[in-house]
Each structure stands twice: as C-alpha cells, then as structure tokens.
Amino acid sequence: GENVEQHPSTLSVQEGDSAVIKCTYSDSASNYFPWYKQELGKRPQLIIDIRSNVGEKKDQRIAVTLNKTAKHFSLHITETQPEDSAVYFCAASIRDTNAGKSTFGDGTTLTVKP
Amino acid sequence: DVKVTQSSRYLVKRTGEKVFLECVQDMDHENMFWYRQDPGLGLRLIYFSYDVKMKEKGDIPEGYSVSREKKERFSLILESASTNQTSMYLCASSLQKVTYEQYFGPGTRLTVT
C-alpha cells in the first residue's frame, strides 16, 4: 500500500519567516495530494490540495509544489503569523478508486513565535 | 456547511466492554471514514465505507468493526475494548468524484481503563 513520510516532525519559526514541510510518497499511482491543518483541540481542515497534472498551486500565503518524478510534494507558508501555529498533515490518494482513501503523513507541529 | 457530528466528545470505558462510536453527516456524502489519532503517528485509517452496507479495511482494522446501515451514519465498534485502544477517534466524510476533501468530526477521546 501507499506510504507517506513527512518531515520535519516539529518546526519553529519566527513570525514573518517562511516555513516548508516536505512529504514523500511511494505509490506512483497516487494523483491527489491534500494538506490539512489541525489547530489545537480542533478538527483537521483542508487548506490546499494539488492534483498530479499540476506542478504548483498557490492560495495567498500558502503554496504547494509537486514533483511526480521524485514522488515528493511540499507545503510552503510565507510571512508566517502566530495563527499559522498548528499541526499540518500531508496525504496522498488515488482519485476515482477506493473512495478517495487517503494515506496521511505523521504530521508536523508548526510553532510561529511572535 | 458540511456538518459531521460524533456521539461523544469524551468516553471512559473498562477493559472488555463493547464500545460504540457513532458518526453522522448531513451532506449526503457517499464516503465515510474512521481514523485514530495518536501523538506522532498521524491519522491512521481503521475502516472506510463508500456506500451503504459496504465497508473496507483500512490500515489498522484489528480489534474494530464497523456498520453502515444508513448513508448518513457510520458506526465504529470495539468488540472488547483494551487499554491500547485508548486514543482520539476521528470520523470523516467526503463526496465521490467531485472533490475528495474530507470533512472531519470533532473527535471522540476514548479512555479504556
């Protein structure tokens, strides 16, 4: 089955700096890569996703890049703010099969220091 | 707004008890999922369902079973609870073939003593 590795497990940055979280996946058939943010005590929520026919996607301060050849994808947060502090999960899945079942990484705890 | 609810936020059970965790979604989603979340281990899939009465094992199904008798409701059953099943349990749902975004419930923190 699919295996997703996520690094780093913890990340601490100063407010205003950039943060990068990286994930690798094993199944070359995976074609959908969402990122979820989980604030303390709350449920995970989708913040951005990318499909395998696209190399990069941006949404304001958040961007995701995908390298299909190397089987890795990354989340980039620019101009970090304290409210970006949360646990971030990457995931990989194959659309149109298995009900869109996603395999999640272990999560990255991001702390943004004011 | 998609709403996914879980029957309890906190639950304390004794070893050997049968435990039922219920999840209900109100957006007519075909897919439903049960995960457990433990520190440093991410979200691990226990079971999922893509239709009424259909179920498939996830990555860690041992010690669990599920039931989906109605489209909106997906139940997780611990036949005989053990202390290593102490965890946060999250339910999620998603549409098929339109978007695969998963909408999560608030979670149930289960403690087995």
Side-chain angles (χ1 to χ4, degrees), chain B residues 25-90:
Chain B
Q25 51 91 8
D26 67 355
M27 285 301 292
D28 205 33
H29 284 177
E30 295 92 348
N31 305 328
M32 296 189 76
F33 308 85
W34 274 107
Y35 296 91
R36 64 176 283 176
Q37 183 175 20
D38 301 289
L41 296 179
L43 299 167
R44 293 183 292 167
L45 183 64
I46 304 170
Y47 267 96
F48 66 101
S49 169
Y50 53 89
D51 201 352
V52 175
K53 297 193 185 294
M54 303 303 291
K55 59 186 179 184
E56 286 200 25
K57 293 180 180 178
D59 301 316
I60 52 164
E62 297 77 19
Y64 304 94
S65 62
V66 290
S67 172
R68 193 165 181 200
E69 296 297 318
K70 293 185 178 181
K71 191 175 185 179
E72 68 271 19
R73 190 179 298 269
F74 193 35
S75 301
L76 180 69
I77 304 155
L78 287 67
E79 295 290 341
S80 177
S82 64
T83 55
N84 63 12
Q85 292 178 310
T86 291
S87 186
M88 172 68 82
Y89 289 87
L90 287 166

Side-chain angles (χ1 to χ4, degrees), chain A residues 2 16 18 25 65 68 73 76-77 94 103 107 109 112:
Chain A
E2 176 67 276
S18 295
Y25 62 99
T65 58
K68 284 190 297 182
F73 56 111
H76 305 253
I77 306 174
I94 304 171
T103 300
T109 301
V112 180

